[in-house]
Amino acid sequence: MRAARLIKMVLLLQTRASMTAAELARELEVSERTVARDAQALSEAGIPVYADRGRAGGYRLVGGYRTGLTGLARSEAEALFLSGVPGALRDMGLQDSASVARLKVSAALMPSLRDASRSAAQRFHLDAPAWFSEPATPGLLPALADAVWDDRPVLARYRRDGPEVERTLEPYGLVLKAGVWYLCARVPDAGAFRVYRIDRFTAVEPGPERFRRDDGFDLPAFWEERAEEFARSVLRSEVVVRLSPQGVRMLPYALGPVSAKEALGTSGAADGRGWVTLTLPVESEEVARMQLRGLGPEVEVLAPAALRKLCAEDAAGAAALYG
């Protein structure tokens, strides 16, 4: 633990001209007294750490000293590729590996390029969770993340609609979708890949051996396919509507891209005003009623009759409200 901290301290001083004790303490998550002891230990080991006294003082490396400890460990290299999603790194317990990796890369760069990571961080940020939600990190996420990185099967207990299910899984990848974490895993007994919500796991026990990954597995392609399958699976009803040109443009935002894409494929020729008639795949008539409200006067429901009557009542109520 201390050796890793000492290396990090040297790398920090190598990437910056000078750092105060308070800055080092904050970066290393220790006290300023510990920083002073570590600096003394480095000096005794032959690394020229010099302490400037006074209000503007701090620690620095003398004589352009450069360490050769810049090679990336595998975990650091893998974490570096995820450094654009700091929240995800924190949830998976990889923030320390990413921090050390960024320091090693910075230490190996020319002095004129060492602020590149800070410069990029101020120009790009990925905010994965959805609006108006309070994402919670699943307690078992770090254990599953370790299993994913190490290719270790897990004996997992999973809570579904009914009783808990226990099975062995080969964890291939993690997906963060709108603040919710999912595990993409292969079920050896079934020989199939499946998707699990991580907040529904109740227990995870990693196995001692590693499994052999299928080199043909493509996580982004697999997720895209399964996400579209899920979106289609909930579309169990149909409604027939007329849409204005503006309504056609607004349709993907009201119903979602999958439903809108299927519906627009059924549209006939536009009438003289540019309106088109099409069939919408929807989750239910009640859900369709709420979704179509967002289109206002740009949509007319033709069928089923019960939904048309409800939408007419909504329109009449809105007209009465606005006078």
Side-chain angles (χ1 to χ4, degrees), residues 100-117:
V100 173
R102 286 193 295 269
L103 280 172
K104 289 183 176 181
V105 170
S106 296
L109 292 174
M110 295 172 56
S112 61
L113 299 177
R114 287 178 187 163
D115 67 340
S117 61

Side-chain angles (χ1 to χ4, degrees), residues 71-279:
L72 292 179
R74 180 177 181 85
S75 63
E76 295 165 356
E78 290 169 335
L80 186 61
F81 285 101
L82 295 173
S83 58
V85 281
L89 281 170
R90 182 179 59 253
D91 291 349
M92 291 187 290
L94 296 173
Q95 69 271 32
D96 289 339
S97 292
S99 175
V100 173
R102 286 193 295 269
L103 280 172
K104 289 183 176 181
V105 170
S106 296
L109 292 174
M110 295 172 56
S112 61
L113 299 177
R114 287 178 187 163
D115 67 340
S117 61
R118 291 191 297 274
S119 176
Q122 295 304 316
R123 288 166 172 80
F124 174 78
H125 174 69
L126 176 62
D127 184 10
W131 287 103
F132 313 119
S133 63
E134 293 292 335
T137 302
L140 293 174
L141 175 59
L144 285 168
D146 287 344
V148 168
W149 290 117
D150 291 342
D151 295 336
R152 293 190 183 277
V154 296
L155 180 63
R157 293 187 65 83
Y158 186 78
R159 183 179 65 254
R160 298 196 297 186
D161 295 335
E164 289 186 352
V165 176
E166 182 178 90
R167 58 175 47 127
T168 299
L169 302 175
E170 294 175 350
Y172 268 66
L174 300 169
V175 174
L176 177 60
K177 170 68 172 178
V180 180
W181 283 94
Y182 296 88
L183 173 71
C184 300
R186 181 177 179 270
V187 184
D189 294 340
F193 288 93
R194 294 176 183 168
V195 177
Y196 300 87
R197 275 187 62 140
I198 292 182
D199 58 8
R200 293 180 180 172
F201 282 98
T202 59
V204 172
E205 183 180 343
E209 305 294 332
R210 287 183 167 87
F211 65 87
R212 185 183 181 90
R213 290 180 68 92
D214 180 353
D215 293 335
F217 178 78
D218 184 328
L219 179 60
F222 171 78
W223 176 259
E224 182 178 3
E225 178 183 345
R226 289 305 171 90
E228 187 166 334
E229 286 179 3
F230 173 77
R232 293 179 188 277
S233 69
V234 299
L235 304 176
R236 302 186 181 93
S237 300
E238 291 184 344
V239 300
V240 181
V241 301
R242 289 178 67 240
L243 284 173
S244 70
Q246 176 67 6
V248 170
R249 289 190 289 271
M250 295 168 59
L251 190 62
Y253 303 100
L255 270 71
V258 173
S259 181
K261 181 180 178 180
E262 288 198 9
L264 293 173
T266 70
S267 64
D271 62 17
R273 297 170 54 207
W275 287 59
V276 296
T277 299
L278 46 79
T279 301

Side-chain angles (χ1 to χ4, degrees), residues 249-311:
R249 289 190 289 271
M250 295 168 59
L251 190 62
Y253 303 100
L255 270 71
V258 173
S259 181
K261 181 180 178 180
E262 288 198 9
L264 293 173
T266 70
S267 64
D271 62 17
R273 297 170 54 207
W275 287 59
V276 296
T277 299
L278 46 79
T279 301
L280 300 178
V282 295
E283 185 174 344
S284 67
E285 292 182 18
E286 184 59 32
V287 171
R289 178 187 181 186
M290 292 186 292
Q291 292 173 324
L292 294 174
R293 284 175 183 165
L295 297 178
E298 309 301 329
V299 62
E300 177 190 1
V301 176
L302 302 179
L307 179 59
R308 179 180 173 85
K309 180 180 179 182
L310 290 173
C311 290

